[in-house]
Amino acid sequence: MKKKLINIFTNGTQFSLETQADLTKKLVDRGYTVTREYSHDAELIICIGGDGSLLETVHSCGFPDCPIIGINTGHLGFFQELSPDDLDHFISDYENGLYTIQHLNTVAAEVTTKDGRTNRHIGLNEIVIKGRQSYAVHLYICIDGVSIEKFSGDGILVATSAGSTAYNYSLGGSIVDPRLKLLQVTPIAPMNTTAYRSFTSSILLPADLTIGIVPEEEENKIFIMNDGIETGYSQVSEIHITASDKTVQLLRFKDYDFWDKIKTKFL
């Protein structure tokens, strides 16, 4: 019986392309069908590159239902499970079912403009709300309908547990175990003076709460970034940020441990 489809994506570097060719040959020799284009029939997606490549793959495939595994040919490679030297072990363990699935939660932002239109953006790592470059943004922030603050600064970031080690961490946010389903609100260069009062540290919230954001001036340009994908809006009436019902499934093998990876990559 012919095995199902496996999709392989790369970041296009020479090393990644060489790894892709080597892996493709090994999989084809085992009877797999391998393509470079996403298919809903795929049983597995393999991403060769760094963390940015994996995020790009997740978005280009529309947050797919099948598992994803990363082979690190980039820099940090926090999401990536394998190195290019592990290909034979990977295929053997995969065929023998010696793996688990790590379900990563996502975050969604619904942006409503003055004309009543609503657009939705989903992020695996984070949603970022900022103003025009070099301009402070002023935002009224509510949590589950309760007014919390009028934020002033470069912007705010709302991270998932999986995204806590990304942009959130560089802003001074907390590292969160991905087994916890929560949202972390982290300020970006907040103003904290007699004229402006803003939180200066991150806030951890249960995932069932909604974060409501209203820009002080609708005419100002607002930028939404989901995992680095930037969309500009004018005349924004309100933004609602919630935990999304979509999840990303990462293939993990027996030696994977989140806190061991934290120690390896950050300490």
Side-chain angles (χ1 to χ4, degrees):
M1 179 178 173
K2 191 173 182 179
K3 296 176 181 177
K4 287 194 277 186
L5 198 63
I6 291 181
N7 298 150
I8 299 181
F9 297 87
T10 80
N11 60 5
T13 66
Q14 185 63 35
F15 187 28
S16 295
L17 292 172
E18 290 171 357
T19 303
Q20 180 189 40
D22 188 19
L23 178 59
T24 297
K25 183 179 185 305
K26 292 177 183 293
L27 290 171
V28 169
D29 288 345
R30 298 284 189 109
Y32 288 90
T33 299
V34 179
T35 72
R36 299 185 183 186
E37 295 183 2
Y38 173 63
S39 169
H40 291 284
D41 295 326
E43 67 174 53
L44 179 67
I45 293 174
I46 301 172
C47 176
I48 303 173
D51 291 321
S53 300
L54 191 139
L55 288 172
E56 184 179 345
T57 296
V58 167
H59 282 271
S60 65
C61 296
F63 290 82
D65 293 329
C66 69
I68 302 173
I69 189 164
I71 299 174
N72 186 34
T73 57
H75 298 289
L76 184 63
F78 191 79
F79 282 132
Q80 272 68 1
E81 176 76 3
L82 306 170
S83 77
D85 297 329
D86 298 328
L87 300 185
D88 290 322
H89 289 299
F90 153 60
I91 295 172
S92 176
D93 286 350
Y94 178 69
E95 290 186 323
N96 288 300
L98 301 177
Y99 59 84
T100 59
I101 300 295
Q102 181 184 37
H103 295 269
L104 300 181
N105 299 302
T106 59
V107 58
E110 289 192 349
V111 183
T112 302
T113 51
K114 197 172 181 181
D115 59 8
R117 297 181 182 180
T118 299
N119 292 309
R120 195 165 191 256
H121 305 273
I122 299 176
L124 171 57
N125 274 349
E126 74 275 311
I127 297 288
V128 177
I129 301 172
K130 301 182 77 172
R132 288 184 296 163
Q133 189 175 14
S134 300
Y135 283 80
V137 65
H138 306 288
L139 307 168
Y140 293 99
I141 299 177
C142 297
I143 297 176
D144 252 20
V146 177
S147 179
I148 299 298
E149 70 169 359
K150 176 186 173 184
F151 173 86
S152 297
D154 282 358
I156 65 166
L157 175 149
V158 182
T160 63
S161 297
S164 68
T165 55
Y167 188 12
N168 171 76
Y169 182 64
S170 71
L171 294 173
S174 300
I175 293 176
V176 178
D177 192 302
R179 288 168 289 194
L180 298 175
K181 187 175 182 180
L182 54 77
L183 296 176
Q184 182 170 181
V185 184
T186 302
I188 306 173
M191 298 181 188
N192 193 17
T193 66
T194 55
Y196 300 102
R197 305 295 293 178
S198 301
F199 283 114
T200 57
S201 61
S202 60
I203 305 170
L204 300 178
L205 299 174
D208 59 349
L209 298 186
T210 298
I211 302 161
I213 299 167
V214 176
E216 182 182 42
E217 299 179 17
E218 292 181 348
E219 302 302 323
N220 281 351
K221 193 83 170 178
I222 295 291
F223 292 91
I224 306 293
M225 289 185 288
N226 54 323
D227 296 338
I229 303 169
E230 184 176 272
T231 306
Y233 289 94
S234 296
Q235 299 185 326
V236 173
S237 295
E238 58 184 351
I239 303 166
H240 289 105
I241 301 179
T242 59
S244 167
D245 56 358
K246 289 184 177 293
T247 61
V248 173
Q249 304 173 53
L250 290 190
L251 213 65
R252 296 299 193 190
F253 292 100
K254 59 183 179 181
D255 293 330
Y256 173 79
D257 180 82
F258 172 75
W259 290 105
D260 181 65
K261 180 156 270 193
I262 289 290
K263 180 179 69 175
T264 302
K265 298 295 184 179
F266 290 98
L267 301 179

